[in-house]
Amino acid sequence: MTINLKNKSEIVAKYGKDAKDTGSVETQIALLTAKIIELTEHLKANAKDFQGKRGLLMMVGKRKRLLSYLKDRNLDDYRKLIKALNIRETK
């Protein structure tokens, strides 16, 4: 699954406040998660793609910072998003 305009609009509609809300933290995290999943699959087949690996690490770092921001701002939304995206196990 590649991130194209149709997939992006579906993610924005699902996690954003409306269909054009691409700037909210939840939407950004959901889009980054989709890109991370796609790039992880690519790197499984192409182990020597070092620039792809660097891009993946940068995306994971950005998602981590956004999740930290969301956790500080709204813990309930953070927990819902973590559960919906299956990012990590919650305690």
Side-chain angles (χ1 to χ4, degrees), residues 24-54:
S24 70
V25 178
E26 294 90 350
T27 306
Q28 290 182 38
I29 293 170
L31 288 171
L32 277 172
T33 301
K35 288 180 184 179
I36 287 169
I37 291 169
E38 178 183 343
L39 193 53
T40 302
E41 292 299 318
H42 168 77
L43 288 174
K44 286 179 183 176
N46 303 292
K48 292 189 177 186
D49 185 3
F50 299 113
Q51 292 300 315
K53 185 176 180 180
R54 180 178 185 271

Side-chain angles (χ1 to χ4, degrees):
M1 175 181 110
T2 59
I3 300 296
N4 56 24
L5 190 59
K6 182 181 177 190
N7 294 343
K8 183 177 178 179
S9 62
E10 289 173 1
I11 292 171
V12 170
K14 183 174 180 182
Y15 294 102
K17 309 227 182 327
D18 61 10
K20 295 186 178 184
D21 180 27
T22 58
S24 70
V25 178
E26 294 90 350
T27 306
Q28 290 182 38
I29 293 170
L31 288 171
L32 277 172
T33 301
K35 288 180 184 179
I36 287 169
I37 291 169
E38 178 183 343
L39 193 53
T40 302
E41 292 299 318
H42 168 77
L43 288 174
K44 286 179 183 176
N46 303 292
K48 292 189 177 186
D49 185 3
F50 299 113
Q51 292 300 315
K53 185 176 180 180
R54 180 178 185 271
L56 175 67
L57 292 174
M58 290 172 57
M59 281 189 248
V60 170
K62 183 167 185 152
R63 183 179 72 175
K64 183 178 178 182
R65 289 190 303 272
L66 287 169
L67 283 168
S68 175
Y69 174 81
L70 182 62
K71 186 177 181 181
D72 291 342
R73 293 288 180 159
N74 193 341
L75 190 60
D76 292 334
D77 286 348
Y78 169 80
R79 288 181 178 154
K80 287 180 198 173
L81 188 64
I82 292 295
K83 190 172 186 178
L85 294 174
N86 294 325
I87 294 176
R88 64 175 67 98
E89 297 294 322
T90 57
K91 295 178 182 177

